[in-house]
Amino acid sequence: MFSVWIKNYWMYLLAFLVFLILSIYSFASYWAQENRNLEQNLINYEKYCYEGSELLDYPVCDYETISKKPSFFYSLIMTFNSDMFPKGFTLVMLVIIPVCYFLTRYFNSGIIFNELTRKPYSKIKHGLILKSYANIFPFIMCMALIFLGTSLFTDSATILNPDPLFDKEYLSLSSELDNPIFFIVWYFVTNILYALVYINITLFVNRKYHNFFIATIISFVTIVGIELFLELGVDLLFVTTILKLDFGVSFNILNGITFNAAAGLGGVLAFAITMFVLTYLLVYFSYRNKEKIIMDCEEL
Amino acid sequence: MKIEVKNVSKKFKSNYVVENANCVFESGKIYGLYGRNGSGKSVFLKMLVSFYNPTSGEVLFDGVNYQNTSKYPKNVGVLIEHPSFFGDLSGFKNLKILARIQNIINDKDIELALKIVNLLDEKNKKYKEYSLGMRQKLGIAQAIMENPDVIILDEPFNGIERVSVEKITNYLKEERDKGKLIIVSSHIKDDLKKMCDEFLYFDAGKVSIRSDLDEI
């Protein structure tokens, strides 16, 4: 029944390939630029860093600094902050499009009526949710490949450079990030949670809308709408203006892969978990009533 | 097997689609549900198999009420309203997907069901390429392939040619004689008269038991 499996999940595989190609292209572009910079730095070093030069005390004449490979972290951030991944929208689309395809195909077929006489509704419901969640596996595989690839090219022993011009200052990160394993696990977990949040929202939308294009557009708009509400309503108006606190910067469901941990790693993780739980509850309540699901399928 | 329908009503908004239905279905008989389109037959059948919950009353399958639960009455083959399958898969593959859920039949059993409904020669054709009658046949094959104790078919003969109707009718009679409980709905009297032992007449949601359809 491989052909049946392919017909259900070919979009998941396509999303994996697109994500992988975009990531490789993005990393390759960044890496080529990095090598050009390195070459230019060495030319400048040869040209300006002679004995008695006025520039000897500047970083441009510190051979160790200019010849250092970029850190793993820096390379990853640059890869996912390229034009290929504008504001994390690429990831959102790569997650929701295959799930919308899978769900609309299922609901439009009406096969649920035949399944309901063969297994309990709770099993059908959980199967539907788990099969939708399965779209994170290509994403996880892709991330693992990108991590592996990036670590081969960069200084994989450290996440941050010991003497960074960019890393720590730019992101205000705690020293916890100096542990590569901790960083990788944290990055994986938060991104998986964000991807599951997108899938939960897609499941919620597809409960009512069974047209692929309409469901995809509404899912996307809903995710962007939630993001705007969190950024403008919750963070800007409530947390920052009224409460005068700064942790609201974590309230962002789109910057998982582009990385913004300005409010701390714990804050981002707590927010991702909270959003996952809230959106799961949304799915739980919207799929609770078997009769309503059946009636929605009958309207087709 | 015994299905008891006790004071069952179903209301959509302010309209009663089925009103205070009372009846009992028992093994070894074919029951015919007769009534015009929109008279409440399909809604009644959906309540029987717990697709819908009654607004009031209860349906008992061998004494068990499955309404408002995630459970379902087992050993029941159902075709209600129109058949529903994946259009881009063949008829056979669609049945195979469903057969794998309970995993109690093999490919030969599926083929036997397709043979009963005269669809074996078209088993590898994609469902979206099926005619109305072929789709209906696949829906019936889906309902009977696992040899269920109860067979519920809603307007099963829509678009099916007479030869196949006769064949399916004979099959249902044989299954009745083996002790199965069969419920068939139709808006065509003659289809029901040929095989049914008892009748339920549906008229604007009101259900009455009849021994003969000619009096209607």
Side-chain angles (χ1 to χ4, degrees), chain A residues 1 3-4 7 105 109-111 113-122 290-291 294-295 298, chain B residues 10 12 46 50-53 70 72 78 84-86 88-89 93 97-98 100 102 142 145-146:
Chain A
M1 297 292 270
S3 59
V4 175
K7 277 183 174 145
R105 179 177 142 79
S109 73
I111 203 91
F113 299 111
N114 301 327
E115 288 185 339
L116 277 168
T117 57
R118 290 176 170 86
K119 59 180 166 182
Y121 174 67
S122 58
K290 177 174 75 175
E291 188 176 286
I294 290 170
M295 284 180 179
E298 285 173 341
Chain B
K10 184 68 180 175
F12 291 117
K46 283 173 192 166
S50 80
F51 283 9
Y52 286 179
N53 296 319
S70 178
Y72 65 106
V78 177
S84 306
F85 296 99
F86 289 115
D88 55 356
L89 298 179
K93 274 187 182 161
I97 290 174
L98 294 170
R100 289 178 95 181
Q102 299 191 106
Q142 168 276 133
M145 67 180 181
E146 281 147 333

Side-chain angles (χ1 to χ4, degrees), chain B residues 10-27:
Chain B
K10 184 68 180 175
K11 194 165 75 168
F12 291 117
K13 292 181 182 166
S14 57
N15 295 329
Y16 276 98
V17 182
V18 176
E19 203 172 344
N20 203 27
N22 283 286
C23 51
V24 177
F25 301 100
E26 288 176 313
S27 296

Side-chain angles (χ1 to χ4, degrees), chain A residues 137-151:
Chain A
F137 285 109
F139 170 64
I140 291 170
M141 280 164 58
C142 212
M143 293 278 284
L145 285 172
I146 291 158
F147 269 61
L148 189 71
T150 311
S151 66

Side-chain angles (χ1 to χ4, degrees), chain A residues 158-160 168 172-186 259 261 263-267:
Chain A
T158 54
I159 293 298
L160 304 176
K168 279 190 179 176
S172 317
L173 292 172
S174 67
S175 58
E176 289 162 327
L177 260 192
D178 287 329
N179 182 338
I181 303 296
F182 179 85
F183 170 72
I184 289 169
V185 170
W186 178 89
F259 198 89
L265 302 185

